Amino acid sequence: MKFSTSTTIFGLCVTSGRRTLTRFIRLSFSLVFICAAFAQAGNCQVIDELLADSRSALKDLKFTPQEVLAIQEKAAKGDAKSQYVLGWLYFTGNSVNKDDERALQWMTKAADQDFRFAQTQTGLMYLVAKDLPNNYLLAREWLLKGAAHNQADAWNALGAIYSQGLGVEVSGNEAIKCFKKAADLGFDKAQYNLGFQYATGKLVPKDFTEAAKWFQLASQQDHVRATYSLGVMYRDGQGVDQDSAEAFKLFQKGAEKHHFPPAQHNLGAMYYEGKGVSKDLVLAYMWISLAAETGFEPSQKRLATISEKMTPAQIVEAKQRAEDWAKTQGNQ
């Protein structure tokens, strides 16, 4: 949605892009455990995409030098919300030169005024600032303050700290408790994290039924990895009744809407095998080649096998479809 006029927030007039500034102000980091195919790789948990959501929301927001100056002036006078915004701008390099030190200084000023959003963000900034002494300890201290305000992303981040032993001993009980707090608040990434834990059995005994429940809840919020993981469960009949057609729909959503390489790969595999959909080697090659172009290794290895069963004309058609699809997506 585009706005034809500027928007006023915190008493400042700023130009809006496709995303609303309200969402930006409430935006927080997201800790995500990424596992492209949990059923095949139960140990590939990593903290990733901490800034993905913020960058997405900020990319269309353009602040003029005058607007930045107005934010700076209000922040210098002690306005916590302006300090919070200024911290984000310096941290992401939006409309100002990126400066992590200044970002942390301004975010901490807002946090010290008990501005709950800033407390969580300060904790997450320390969590990713690995070059700072005691960064994990400071991260945990600020995240606990955010969690005291029932900030879902703070609870989720604490779950990551306990699950991966970041400055603390690994504690499955504490991690699950924190993830559950965030998940019960409707936080899709925590719902995914819970599903991941139950699917892989890293911190709790494996429970595919419980995993499917949490993946389903996150998928309903359009969480791409939860949608993909749920597709894997329907494909393999783990925690749910085996349903190739439902798996196909979930992979298709991840492939077409989110351009998620593992989903593109599995969508192509289902076309290749004729599971959940009529067999179609051209579409199989198309989707797997799109995943291969991103560097997804399983797809790169699979292409040769598929091409052996295709005519030269079919390969040409598949490549053309992939090219046309990529161009169409690039223009959106």
Side-chain angles (χ1 to χ4, degrees):
M1 178 171 63
K2 292 184 178 180
F3 294 90
S4 58
T5 59
S6 59
T7 299
T8 300
I9 192 162
F10 300 152
L12 303 173
C13 188
V14 293
T15 303
S16 299
R18 297 175 192 167
R19 312 265 184 163
T20 66
L21 275 172
T22 299
R23 180 169 180 265
F24 161 55
I25 297 306
R26 287 184 167 271
L27 191 63
S28 59
F29 290 122
S30 302
L31 283 170
V32 180
F33 288 151
I34 294 179
C35 186
F38 72 86
Q40 290 76 28
N43 294 320
C44 61
Q45 289 184 310
V46 294
I47 293 179
D48 196 15
E49 296 185 349
L50 293 179
L51 300 178
D53 286 349
S54 62
R55 286 173 178 160
S56 176
L58 283 169
K59 67 179 181 180
D60 294 323
L61 296 177
K62 303 300 179 184
F63 295 84
T64 67
Q66 292 78 14
E67 290 165 353
V68 172
L69 180 60
I71 295 172
Q72 291 173 327
E73 290 175 349
K74 288 179 70 69
K77 292 178 181 179
D79 183 73
K81 295 176 181 178
S82 296
Q83 292 168 344
Y84 172 83
V85 173
L86 193 57
W88 266 118
L89 295 185
Y90 278 118
F91 198 69
T92 58
N94 180 295
S95 306
V96 297
N97 292 328
K98 180 174 171 57
D99 190 323
D100 290 348
E101 184 176 352
R102 285 189 177 182
L104 193 52
Q105 288 174 350
W106 285 113
M107 194 65 73
T108 302
K109 286 179 181 293
D112 282 336
Q113 296 193 60
D114 204 33
F115 189 58
R116 63 185 188 277
F117 301 118
Q119 290 174 335
T120 297
Q121 306 317 314
T122 301
L124 288 164
M125 285 184 177
Y126 275 117
L127 191 59
V128 299
K130 297 180 180 180
D131 56 333
L132 295 179
N134 300 316
N135 66 304
Y136 291 144
L137 175 63
L138 292 167
R140 182 172 170 274
E141 288 180 358
W142 281 112
L143 290 170
L144 285 170
K145 292 181 180 180
H149 287 294
N150 228 21
Q151 292 285 291
D153 46 351
W155 281 116
N156 186 55
L158 286 168
I161 286 176
Y162 284 114
S163 69
Q164 300 190 47
L166 303 178
V168 297
E169 292 292 326
V170 171
S171 173
N173 289 336
E174 287 297 316
I176 295 300
K177 181 181 76 174
C178 293
F179 286 144
K180 184 71 163 48
K181 287 273 192 179
D184 286 342
L185 289 168
F187 196 50
D188 61 335
K189 293 170 181 62
Q191 292 167 344
Y192 170 75
N193 285 343
L194 273 179
F196 179 87
Q197 295 297 343
Y198 283 113
T200 60
K202 182 176 177 63
L203 300 179
V204 293
K206 282 188 179 182
D207 187 332
F208 288 132
T209 300
E210 193 72 5
K213 180 187 81 172
W214 291 110
F215 285 149
Q216 180 70 55
L217 288 171
S219 179
Q220 289 171 357
Q221 298 192 64
D222 216 21
H223 189 286
V224 59
R225 289 174 181 82
T227 300
Y228 170 78
S229 297
L230 191 61
V232 172
M233 301 194 84
Y234 273 109
R235 182 195 66 191
D236 299 340
Q238 296 176 322
V240 293
D241 293 335
Q242 197 278 333
D243 189 334
S244 294
E246 184 64 22
F248 176 85
K249 291 178 183 178
L250 292 164
F251 291 146
Q252 185 177 42
K253 181 180 179 180
E256 293 183 349
K257 183 174 182 179
H258 300 291
H259 307 180
F260 191 47
Q264 293 174 331
H265 175 89
N266 280 2
L267 185 64
M270 297 195 83
Y271 274 119
Y272 177 76
E273 297 170 358
K275 290 186 176 180
V277 68
S278 298
K279 186 170 183 175
D280 191 320
L281 293 179
V282 171
L283 288 175
Y285 189 100
M286 168 194 159
W287 284 110
I288 291 180
S289 68
L290 286 167
E293 288 176 5
T294 69
F296 191 59
E297 189 174 347
S299 295
Q300 294 173 333
K301 293 179 179 179
R302 192 71 178 266
L303 277 179
T305 301
I306 298 175
S307 62
E308 289 175 356
K309 299 182 180 297
M310 299 173 68
T311 66
Q314 286 178 317
I315 294 175
V316 169
E317 180 185 355
K319 290 181 177 180
Q320 186 61 54
R321 287 198 185 190
E323 182 179 342
D324 292 342
W325 186 85
K327 287 181 178 179
T328 299
Q329 299 307 303
N331 292 331
Q332 290 184 354

